[in-house]
Amino acid sequence: MERLGVFLCAGCGLGDALDLGALESVTQESKPAHLSRHPCLCSPEGVESIRQAAEQGNLEGALLGACSHRVKQQEFRFDPAKLVVERVSLREQVVWSHPAQQEDTQQLAEDLLKMGLTKLAKAKPAAPITDTLAPAVLVVGGGQAGLEAAAAAAGLGHPVLLVEKSGSLGGHLGRTRDRLPQGPSYEELEPNRLADRIAEIQAHPAIRIFTSARVRALRGQPGRFQAEIETLKGVESVEVGAVVQATGARPYDARRLPHLGYGASPNVVTSEELETMLFAGSLRRPTDGKLPERVVFVQCAGSRDPNHLPYCSADCCGVTLRQMAAIHRDYPRVETVTVYRDMRTPGQLERFYAAVQSHAASLFTRGEVEAVEGNGHLTVRLRDSLLGPSLSLDADLVVLAVGMVPNSADGEAIRALRDARRRVEKAESETQRQEAQKLVDQLGHHQGTEILNLEYRQGPDLPLLRYGFPDSHFICFPYETRRTGIYAAGALRAPMEAGQAAEDGWGAALKAVQCINAAARGEAVHPRAGDPELPDFFLQRCTQCKRCTEECPFGTLNEDEKGTPQLNALRCRRCGICMGACPERIISFPAYSVDAVASMIRAMSVPEEFEEKPRILALMCENDALPALDAAAEKRRQWNPWVRVVPVRCLGSVNLVWIADSLSRGLDGVILIGCKRGDDNQCHYVRGSELAHTRLGNIQETLTRLALEPERVKIVELAHDESERIPEILDGFAATLEDLGPSPLKGF
Amino acid sequence: MSDPSLPLLVVGAGISGITAALEAAEAGRPVVLLEKEAFVGGRVIKSHHYFPKLCPPSCGMEINTRRLERNPRVRVITQAEVVASRPIPGGREVTVRQAPAYVNDRCTACGACSSVCPAKVDDSFNLEMGQVPAIRLAHANAWPHRYLLDRPACPPECRACVEACPHQAIDLAARPTEETLQVGATVVATGWRPYPIAKLPELGGGRHPDVIANVQLERLAAPGGPTGGKILRPSNGQPPRRVAFVQCAGSRDVNHLPYCSAVCCLASLKQALYVHEQYPEAEIAIYYIDRRAPGRNEDLLTRVAAVQSVRLVKGKVGRVEPSADGALLLTVEDVESGRRLEASADLVVLATGMVPNLDHGSALDVKRDADGFGRDSVELGLLVAGVARRPEDVASSVRDATGAAARALAAAGRRA
């Protein structure tokens, strides 16, 4: 990019703290097509001055030396296809955080401007690919969530293909008579009207239904997926734009709960088995076919138990209450007792709980069920009950409220299994073969569990979070998924009640529709929603090391037989983790590339050893660490003036060459500041921070070889709200470097 | 059916409203998002951490504000309320009243005004704990990033801020403005307010400074809070040594809120960790009726239950009163033993519930149930999302709001 404009702001103290004239002279060295100064660049007049200069000077890029790129975004918004804007944070990173009119402060401003100009010169305008894409939404699973996802996508004007494994629609809810109250007064059972809803969906002209069907293969990318749907009639290949997976959950296998009498006595049944009786209108004791006098419900049967399901299934308390109410209504002589650890009836379900509780035939007692004994007539032994330390209850039917297990497939495990199989075949040594075989044995049970059958390098199904649910890791973004354009919904995604599953179907359908539309505009989806940039792979120089295909958190890249990455651009989320991974530095975005940042590092001044002014590069995550830095500046916290901050999209996008270049230029240290990693990670690209730590672990050995102290490179985790730590982190690092003395590579 | 060419109106820019607005806009629809406050983020931005991950809400809000400002299809109007609404074919015409823009968008958040402001007001962002200048940035990450003036607090004739502002961003004579907008469907996401602890005098609410609400503890634990993140007893500024959490304070109670607010158990579990992290020696007790931690949230319960200094006690706190030693005495009905217990604490946190922010007779006339929660009127293109609809946590609100956006767009009947 050649025709660049430089716009300096004199407001917010910049003019007082800095010698702007000197800064202008410095930028003049790179001969910008335009250079001007405004007393308040973000004012309507200031913005207009940029617009006019850009138009008159036919500028391609504008460097704004003013405030942080995080503020005044709307004022400084220009069409990125016409004018690429680079903002240099002279306010937050220089004058608000450093003493005015000092040589070091001036030098910092000068460096940041030069670095910004270099980056801008390397930028290219984004050239998004826009296309008309397949508008259809593929919904996998025809239970509550899938049905509503289909209705929603159709309601939003998109064709829908609904694939159901069994012969009929409706899932678990299709086999119940009643529903929990969904509206006022919240105290009465509601009739299950699912059959009417199914009829509506079946009659919808935009919804095609495939029953006794499965997805045999799914390949491509958002807007251009190709799905092979296999039915009893054969295989049909269809084009779809996005996918909602709503394959639901199944009850936990009660045979694993022998201490609760399941299997030992036919009179111990699961909630689902009771549901079958209630649905058929025949509540009977399996041993003698007689109406039971007392039904005892055992809550958390196998749930909230580290030996079975450690989580709460969120639905079982509601199901039990619904079944109790149905028994009270249909079999008034039957007594119902519920043994619980905690009754979980959030929100207005509390009203229903209170209504069931007040029924004369119902009793609730807190307690831990130790055993269910007997055959025909049963004894339920409790401890820690409200009614005493140990207690026995008589029952002629015991209902185990078992939890739910997601009908998911572990995409990553299946992929690991397949890779291990390949290694067993191709192993070069017996040890290798044995190790691979061990893995095959460990993962063997994943064989044949595939659901989506994605033709993705990173596995045929969604990656799972804890306990087998392909849930989002993010509280703020529950639909976030690591496979772009594929959204999980309903009890598959997280334990939930049927009413919530219905809503979840609507939400997931909107995300699917949104992804199709974003793909058509050539834009990224969350978290860089609207970003039109696409990565470019200069494959001629690819060495097939597979790091990019391996490390992309979103499964964007496939591989050909040789291991060359195959880009599926519309799956890309623009985090740059592939760019950070690539040792050949062949991956770049139009305005964010290995070369651009490397050039920024080269543009920075590196004082000679005798000047005793160390130089430090801080690579900071722009979502959490940089906002914390801005907040610290706004509070006028000060930090070491030898630090030069380069914001990065994610620490995962940091290419080690930046660190190597910095050190070989004689910089004294490099610090990476980014999000928390681990189980509760706060990285919006899931693995970025984790990967940065791993990669940095590898570079430490290299440092030692180069006779550089490993302390010269550091990585720190910082949360968005930890601005108070900024000075301590940066000053602390500077102090460490001062103790170490100047980099031995200075001046080489 | 709503007219798809008209923008979607979203009322309330808390986590639910922001989500509904963004999900619709990113699907391609024009959206107008109204917020009563001067900044977006609602209740979540006043929380220290989310459960169960214990991560700061400002992190996700950073992403959301970036989405808001980069999306050309969303228009955000802050300090605004709907004051009138009338049906038109395909939607409604609403009158939006915007509070006087004493500080306009020329403001650069440089802070020159705040440093000269002579007036102090209660810090509403920190729930009136502590004082701030009448002109200030509401909080570190306020978006829009613009100062806020509490005009009635200005001393007569004072023009200090106007004179200090280098950007002519302050107009003390600003008047409220009204604007008429034609919109298609509407999503109401006006959120909730905490049940006032003053209504719980038997639990010491409003009577003793060391009896605080759970929402106050969020601010005390937050780095941007009145104590800079230090949890201290309001009465004497000292660290607490025994902290008691009173669950269902005014919830699941026919005399107060008959429903369960769905988040208070998890909020207290999370807050017990705040206290424990700052004061590993502090004794913490959580008095509960049921420990409600659905789904994967169970992990948080397991984690807290394993902390030695935290006791989970099944029991309903009936009374909190000052004791002779300056501490607080709790009378607890221990449901397990049937006996009455007495316990002592020097900080009592009332886990109060959520009251929907849907006032009767408001311009949009949302249908409400007996508890005051809103109900959809799909035929009128009026949908309710988030806690205005039902008590729920953040992740559920986001799910609900995404669904509501979908229902609103479907009500407008066009390919989205």
Side-chain angles (χ1 to χ4, degrees):
Chain A
M1 189 168 287
E2 284 176 1
R3 299 196 57 80
L4 308 181
V6 178
F7 301 85
L8 295 182
C9 180
C12 290
L14 269 66
D16 304 328
L18 296 170
D19 180 350
L20 291 181
L23 290 181
E24 283 168 345
S25 313
V26 166
T27 52
Q28 217 118 40
E29 287 166 21
S30 60
K31 300 192 178 60
H34 172 94
L35 171 65
S36 62
R37 186 199 300 192
H38 196 277
C40 181
L41 198 57
C42 64
S43 65
E45 305 79 41
V47 173
E48 187 51 35
S49 77
I50 302 172
R51 196 178 309 282
Q52 276 185 11
E55 226 165 81
Q56 287 163 10
N58 225 353
L59 301 181
E60 296 166 284
L63 184 83
L64 313 186
C67 41
S68 161
H69 80 273
R70 295 176 55 256
V71 294
K72 297 286 176 186
Q73 282 240 0
Q74 285 179 314
E75 282 79 356
F76 296 133
R77 184 163 69 195
F78 299 94
D79 181 351
K82 290 189 182 140
L83 187 71
V84 177
V85 175
E86 178 64 27
R87 294 178 63 184
V88 174
S89 176
L90 294 181
R91 188 175 78 162
E92 285 80 356
Q93 288 182 29
V94 186
V95 307
W96 279 4
S97 46
H98 297 87
Q101 292 170 351
Q102 300 256 320
E103 193 192 323
D104 286 340
T105 308
Q106 184 74 17
Q107 183 64 51
L108 170 60
E110 203 177 285
D111 272 6
L112 291 182
L113 275 177
K114 281 199 221 158
M115 290 158 71
L117 259 175
T118 313
K119 184 180 177 200
L120 186 60
K122 294 275 175 189
K124 301 182 193 98
I129 36 166
T130 57
D131 206 347
T132 312
L133 302 171
V137 176
L138 171 68
V139 178
V140 184
Q144 176 69 107
L147 286 168
E148 291 304 321
L156 293 168
H158 288 249
V160 176
L161 301 145
L162 176 59
V163 173
E164 164 58 36
K165 185 173 70 174
S166 75
S168 60
L169 298 174
H172 294 289
L173 197 64
R175 300 183 289 274
T176 65
R177 265 173 71 191
D178 309 294
R179 294 198 64 165
L180 284 172
Q182 306 288 317
S185 64
Y186 298 101
E187 287 169 5
E188 313 249 336
L189 286 177
E190 285 182 15
N192 181 3
R193 296 200 179 85
L194 189 71
D196 299 344
R197 187 65 170 153
I198 290 173
E200 265 174 51
I201 286 166
Q202 282 170 329
H204 198 295
I207 303 176
R208 270 189 75 193
I209 297 166
F210 301 80
T211 48
S212 306
R214 68 172 194 121
V215 180
R216 202 178 74 160
L218 187 58
R219 62 183 79 90
Q221 50 185 329
R224 295 174 188 163
F225 284 112
Q226 195 191 22
E228 288 178 14
I229 301 172
E230 185 182 289
T231 62
L232 300 173
K233 287 185 226 149
V235 177
E236 188 173 336
S237 183
V238 290
E239 283 247 297
V240 298
V243 182
V244 174
Q245 186 183 346
T247 43
R250 59 187 181 276
Y252 185 67
D253 185 355
R255 286 172 304 184
R256 295 190 189 164
L257 304 167
H259 65 290
L260 298 179
Y262 194 83
S265 166
N267 292 347
V268 178
V269 299
T270 63
S271 323
E272 189 160 61
E273 288 160 352
L274 175 67
E275 200 67 59
T276 310
M277 294 187 212
L278 295 173
F279 190 61
S282 131
L283 178 65
R284 292 286 175 263
R285 235 166 44 155
T287 45
D288 57 9
K290 282 190 184 154
L291 185 69
E293 284 176 26
R294 183 193 263 174
V295 181
V296 173
F297 290 85
V298 177
Q299 296 308 107
C300 296
S303 292
R304 304 175 61 191
D305 181 337
N307 299 315
H308 298 282
L309 303 179
Y311 54 89
C312 157
S313 286
D315 183 38
C316 333
C317 285
V319 167
T320 291
L321 290 172
R322 171 165 65 70
Q323 293 180 335
M324 287 174 85
I327 293 173
H328 298 158
R329 177 194 60 203
D330 300 339
Y331 309 95
R333 286 184 301 125
V334 178
E335 199 187 349
T336 57
V337 182
T338 292
V339 185
Y340 66 90
R341 287 156 72 194
D342 295 282
M343 280 305 284
R344 292 185 169 172
T345 51
Q348 287 160 303
L349 193 56
E350 183 69 20
R351 283 180 171 274
F352 186 62
Y353 175 31
V356 176
Q357 235 178 342
S358 67
H359 195 279
S362 74
L363 177 74
F364 288 80
T365 178
R366 201 203 93 104
E368 302 272 345
V369 175
E370 286 203 307
V372 176
E373 291 159 358
N375 192 324
H377 198 77
L378 302 166
T379 305
V380 181
R381 293 198 190 286
L382 312 184
R383 67 181 155 82
D384 292 340
S385 123
L386 285 182
L387 308 170
S390 70
L391 181 83
S392 294
L393 285 169
D394 290 338
D396 19 31
L397 186 68
V398 168
V399 183
L400 303 183
V402 291
M404 57 175 87
V405 180
N407 288 323
S408 60
D410 188 336
E412 289 174 317
I414 299 170
R415 175 257 160 116
L417 173 65
R418 290 177 181 176
D419 283 359
R421 285 237 161 85
R422 215 165 294 132
R423 284 205 302 279
V424 170
E425 281 169 28
K426 294 187 179 167
E428 283 170 13
S429 73
E430 183 56 19
T431 339
Q432 275 180 6
R433 202 196 63 79
Q434 280 176 359
E435 268 173 27
Q437 185 57 46
K438 218 163 98 188
L439 205 58
V440 169
D441 296 341
Q442 261 170 34
L443 298 170
H445 63 281
H446 289 286
Q447 168 78 30
T449 57
E450 295 87 343
I451 296 170
L452 294 180
N453 285 300
L454 292 167
E455 292 183 2
Y456 278 36
R457 163 71 186 120
Q458 294 192 2
D461 275 281
L462 293 175
L464 304 181
L465 198 62
R466 290 199 92 167
Y467 309 132
F469 293 93
D471 195 3
S472 161
H473 173 70
F474 304 105
I475 292 154
C476 311
F477 309 110
Y479 295 105
E480 264 338 291
T481 149
R482 287 166 56 190
R483 295 294 175 263
T484 311
I486 305 174
Y487 299 92
L492 164 77
R493 182 169 77 72
M496 62 179 80
E497 176 269 319
Q500 293 170 330
E503 285 172 8
D504 210 37
W506 277 80
L510 181 59
K511 294 302 290 185
V513 160
Q514 201 183 72
C515 185
I516 294 171
N517 294 348
R521 293 192 298 264
E523 294 176 357
V525 293
H526 187 91
R528 295 184 63 84
D531 185 346
E533 289 192 19
L534 285 171
D536 180 49
F537 285 66
F538 187 69
L539 289 177
Q540 286 92 320
R541 283 209 346 247
C542 173
T543 59
Q544 285 93 22
C545 74
K546 302 183 187 178
R547 281 184 211 165
C548 57
T549 57
E550 198 65 44
E551 293 186 354
C552 171
F554 304 106
T556 301
L557 304 159
N558 279 11
E559 277 167 17
D560 68 8
E561 284 139 26
K562 285 196 222 143
T564 311
Q566 297 171 311
L567 174 66
N568 296 280
L570 298 174
R571 292 189 207 158
C572 174
R573 308 281 265 274
R574 282 72 158 173
C575 59
I577 285 178
C578 53
M579 185 175 117
C582 181
E584 297 299 315
R585 308 186 290 281
I586 61 166
I587 308 169
S588 50
F589 293 86
Y592 186 56
S593 62
V594 178
D595 183 29
V597 177
S599 308
M600 289 170 84
I601 293 166
R602 281 195 296 276
M604 169 189 313
S605 66
V606 184
E608 297 293 334
E609 188 177 336
F610 65 85
E611 292 182 60
E612 293 183 351
K613 286 187 178 179
R615 204 49 95 226
I616 303 162
L617 172 68
L619 297 161
M620 294 179 73
C621 159
E622 65 181 12
N623 189 67
D624 288 53
L626 196 73
L629 185 89
D630 280 357
E634 211 160 283
K635 284 180 247 168
R636 308 301 196 270
R637 301 285 184 268
Q638 300 212 333
W639 56 82
N640 187 291
W642 301 321
V643 177
R644 303 290 179 263
V645 172
V646 172
V648 295
R649 286 187 186 176
C650 174
L651 284 196
S653 72
V654 170
N655 194 295
L656 292 184
V657 77
W658 298 342
I659 298 172
D661 281 4
S662 302
L663 296 172
S664 62
R665 274 210 72 208
L667 264 72
D668 299 90
V670 179
I671 185 166
L672 281 71
I673 311 180
C675 305
K676 195 175 164 195
R677 68 194 199 282
D679 275 356
D680 283 337
N681 76 70
Q682 291 165 24
C683 175
H684 284 271
Y685 305 103
V686 192
R687 295 167 64 190
S689 194
E690 193 85 58
L691 286 166
H693 276 81
T694 314
R695 294 174 191 160
L696 227 53
N698 301 337
I699 205 176
Q700 299 288 5
E701 294 160 29
T702 322
L703 292 180
T704 318
R705 264 207 309 278
L706 288 171
L708 278 174
E709 302 84 346
E711 294 87 348
R712 291 193 186 272
V713 180
K714 187 178 181 182
I715 185 163
V716 176
E717 291 181 354
L718 183 79
H720 191 281
D721 61 347
E722 293 183 315
S723 63
E724 291 299 334
R725 286 180 56 207
I726 287 279
E728 151 211 326
I729 291 170
L730 296 177
D731 294 346
F733 186 54
T736 308
L737 296 177
E738 248 176 307
D739 288 348
L740 292 175
S743 161
L745 300 182
K746 244 183 235 297
F748 274 89
Chain B
M1 182 168 278
S2 313
D3 183 343
S5 66
L6 294 173
L8 174 73
L9 175 68
V10 179
V11 185
I15 190 72
S16 299
I18 289 175
T19 301
L22 284 172
E23 299 303 347
E26 286 176 10
R29 276 291 293 274
V31 177
V32 176
L33 173 62
L34 297 188
E35 170 55 45
K36 192 171 66 175
E37 299 280 342
F39 51 91
V40 304
R43 292 273 163 201
V44 296
I45 206 69
K46 294 182 179 172
S47 291
H48 173 40
H49 282 160
Y50 282 140
F51 62 75
K53 250 172 85 174
L54 286 111
C55 51
S58 60
C59 162
M61 201 51 76
E62 177 80 18
I63 297 264
N64 279 333
T65 52
R66 293 289 87 85
R67 290 166 79 191
L68 282 175
E69 62 196 0
R70 284 178 189 167
N71 195 313
R73 290 175 289 273
V74 190
R75 179 176 169 213
V76 183
I77 312 178
T78 53
Q79 294 185 285
E81 283 182 276
V82 176
V83 291
S85 164
R86 70 178 185 89
I88 55 168
R92 63 183 69 235
E93 190 176 82
V94 292
T95 307
V96 174
R97 185 177 198 269
Q98 207 178 358
Y102 299 118
V103 182
N104 60 41
D105 50 19
R106 298 184 73 104
C107 171
T108 67
C110 73
C113 54
S114 209
S115 56
V116 298
C117 178
K120 289 271 186 281
V121 293
D122 286 344
D123 184 357
S124 56
F125 187 77
N126 279 324
L127 309 175
E128 279 73 38
M129 296 183 289
Q131 292 220 312
V132 282
I135 190 160
R136 79 277 183 189
L137 193 61
H139 66 97
N141 297 295
W143 192 93
H145 206 58
R146 189 190 302 155
Y147 273 54
L148 162 71
L149 172 63
D150 207 333
R151 183 75 177 84
C154 294
E157 311 299 321
C158 176
R159 294 182 54 78
C161 58
V162 180
E163 282 152 21
C165 177
H167 308 294
Q168 296 84 48
I170 306 172
D171 174 10
L172 297 179
R175 306 285 305 155
T177 54
E178 281 194 3
E179 183 180 356
T180 304
L181 297 172
Q182 295 199 334
V183 297
T186 300
V187 173
V188 175
T190 45
W192 59 282
R193 51 182 176 260
Y195 190 71
I197 59 171
K199 289 193 178 179
L200 303 164
E202 67 282 8
L203 299 179
R207 292 195 162 182
H208 196 288
D210 292 334
V211 176
I212 62 171
N214 46 7
V215 285
Q216 287 175 292
L217 186 60
E218 288 297 322
R219 296 313 306 148
L220 290 178
T227 52
K230 270 300 209 192
I231 298 170
L232 300 170
R233 296 175 65 195
S235 64
N236 60 6
Q238 292 300 307
R241 296 208 323 266
R242 280 159 301 160
V243 181
F245 289 88
V246 178
Q247 297 309 112
C248 297
S251 293
R252 304 178 66 185
D253 183 335
V254 286
N255 298 315
H256 297 284
L257 304 177
Y259 51 89
C260 157
S261 286
V263 299
C264 329
C265 283
L266 290 154
S268 291
L269 291 168
K270 170 189 76 168
Q271 294 183 340
L273 291 179
Y274 297 168
V275 176
H276 178 66
E277 273 160 25
Q278 290 192 14
Y279 309 112
E281 305 295 315
E283 293 167 27
I284 301 164
I286 302 176
Y287 299 97
Y288 67 88
I289 305 176
D290 290 287
R291 297 158 296 182
R292 294 188 167 170
R296 277 196 291 124
N297 290 318
E298 182 71 19
D299 291 348
L300 181 63
L301 173 57
T302 309
R303 176 176 165 192
V304 176
V307 177
Q308 283 227 317
S309 56
V310 179
R311 282 184 313 131
L312 288 144
V313 184
K314 186 161 168 100
K316 173 96 179 150
V317 177
R319 181 171 294 279
V320 177
E321 52 204 343
S323 61
D325 60 352
L328 295 155
L329 189 68
L330 286 78
T331 312
V332 189
E333 195 188 336
D334 181 356
V335 194
E336 307 212 329
S337 65
R339 276 189 319 215
R340 279 191 159 206
L341 290 176
E342 285 193 342
S344 172
D346 51 21
L347 183 66
V348 172
V349 183
L350 302 184
T352 51
M354 306 194 281
V355 181
N357 259 335
L358 276 177
D359 295 318
H360 185 63
S362 69
L364 287 170
D365 200 23
V366 179
K367 259 195 308 190
R368 303 187 314 156
D369 67 20
D371 298 321
F373 290 98
R375 306 285 302 158
D376 289 349
S377 302
V378 180
E379 67 290 354
L380 300 175
L382 191 60
L383 298 122
V384 190
V387 181
R389 182 159 181 247
R390 70 158 81 90
E392 58 191 354
D393 64 12
V394 174
S396 308
S397 292
V398 175
R399 179 192 67 215
D400 189 20
T402 310
R407 295 196 307 272
L409 299 191
R414 186 189 69 165
R415 175 176 289 181

